[in-house]
Amino acid sequence: MKNQIRYTVLALGLLAVGYYVWHGLTSDDVFGWVGPQMALPIIAVTIVPIAFAFTGDGIISAFTGNNSSEFRHGLVGLGTVEGVRQTGVYLNEQPQVRIDFRVEGADGKVFASHAKMIVPLTQLALLRPGVVLPVRYLPGNPDKVEVDLSGDTSAAQEAMNAAMIRKGFTTPAKLDIARRGVSAQAVVRSLSVPGEIRDGYTRLDLVLVVTRPDGTTFETRTEKFLPPTAVALVQVGRIVGVHYLPENEQEVVLSLPVNTAN
């Protein structure tokens, strides 16, 4: 859509300028270059730059709240923010930023990419290195992505689940507990670090005291791989969210936020 708009406006602009030149060269009037036809090249010179500016990366999405047609049906991957900088372009006093990502695709392959989007000033601080965002990408052109604006949380969750399974951070059985299990709260009774690290995530062995919906409690053990920024969430005495199946209370799954960077 972006290219179609640009090509159309550019063609109309060239047509307008061409008509003005043709009219001036073929007119027998000494004032053939002067008249209403002068408005055509003036309009063209004004409209073409505006059209190119307003069809820049992230601009159309800022107006529509949706991904561009090019990326709307792209694959969903997980983009980890590695850097953010302003481009110098503003829309309604809100800056356009370039976000550098490390993207893990649906097939598990990791590649460097970037996105440009309009971000409200009040949300700029949320885009810090380490934050994970769902992105849309095209397999044939991985150099550029768009932050997923579809609101389809199920697609993003599926991408996250697949990535966690590939890295050995969880299993299909644990994901089933997270989907079907009883939601409850638990208190961390003890914490140990056996020293196992996977992809920068540290394994933590936890002893939890879980409170059932009826107020009774039970104790269980579980393990969780967490990034360094999330370790503070499971310190002794902290209250955490969990899921479990009543028929198997010894298998408990922690529910923690994805983005925990400070």
Side-chain angles (χ1 to χ4, degrees):
M1 179 179 179
K2 176 180 70 175
N3 290 334
Q4 292 175 342
I5 293 174
R6 289 182 171 184
Y7 292 150
T8 300
V9 172
L10 186 59
L12 292 174
L14 292 174
L15 184 63
V17 173
Y19 174 78
Y20 172 72
V21 173
W22 173 82
H23 186 278
L25 292 175
T26 58
S27 176
D28 295 331
D29 192 336
V30 68
F31 296 108
W33 295 92
V34 180
Q37 66 274 14
M38 291 181 62
L40 294 177
I42 294 174
I43 293 173
V45 170
T46 303
I47 295 298
V48 170
I50 292 176
F52 272 70
F54 279 84
T55 55
D57 291 339
I59 304 296
I60 293 179
S61 294
F63 278 116
T64 64
N66 298 313
N67 289 101
S68 67
S69 58
E70 182 182 9
F71 285 88
R72 196 163 298 156
H73 301 293
L75 298 179
V76 177
L78 298 176
T80 301
V81 177
E82 294 194 322
V84 180
R85 65 178 185 272
Q86 295 189 31
T87 65
V89 175
Y90 287 82
L91 179 64
N92 294 331
E93 300 184 352
Q94 307 300 324
Q96 181 193 62
V97 298
R98 173 187 166 117
I99 310 171
D100 293 318
F101 283 112
R102 186 181 80 253
V103 179
E104 182 174 351
D107 57 359
K109 293 182 180 179
V110 178
F111 55 91
S113 191
H114 76 276
K116 290 182 180 179
M117 63 184 301
I118 302 296
V119 179
L121 288 169
T122 55
Q123 298 180 16
L124 270 181
L126 302 177
L127 290 174
R128 53 187 180 272
V131 167
V132 178
L133 299 172
V135 298
R136 295 273 177 176
Y137 71 96
L138 305 176
N141 183 24
D143 293 337
K144 186 172 66 173
V145 299
E146 288 187 4
V147 174
D148 182 30
L149 302 176
S150 67
D152 184 0
T153 57
S154 61
Q157 188 62 57
E158 287 180 8
M160 175 64 72
N161 292 344
M164 298 290 279
I165 292 174
R166 282 194 297 267
K167 295 173 181 178
F169 296 159
T170 190
T171 64
K174 289 183 177 180
L175 292 176
D176 181 60
I177 294 173
R179 282 191 294 265
R180 299 192 300 114
V182 175
S183 177
Q185 288 188 332
V187 177
V188 180
R189 172 163 288 182
S190 68
L191 164 69
S192 62
V193 184
E196 183 180 355
I197 298 177
R198 296 181 187 175
D199 197 34
Y201 282 53
T202 302
R203 174 183 161 182
L204 304 176
D205 291 343
L206 306 167
V207 176
L208 304 174
V209 178
V210 182
T211 301
R212 300 184 183 94
D214 62 4
T216 59
T217 63
F218 65 91
E219 184 175 292
T220 187
R221 298 175 180 270
T222 189
E223 67 178 41
K224 183 78 171 178
F225 283 87
L226 292 176
T229 54
V231 173
L233 299 177
V234 293
Q235 293 300 302
V236 175
R238 291 294 298 265
I239 298 176
V240 296
V242 298
H243 289 84
Y244 71 94
L245 297 176
E247 63 269 23
N248 182 15
E249 293 181 341
Q250 297 308 303
E251 196 68 48
V252 172
V253 176
L254 269 71
S255 177
L256 297 175
V258 173
N259 293 314
T260 56
N262 294 321

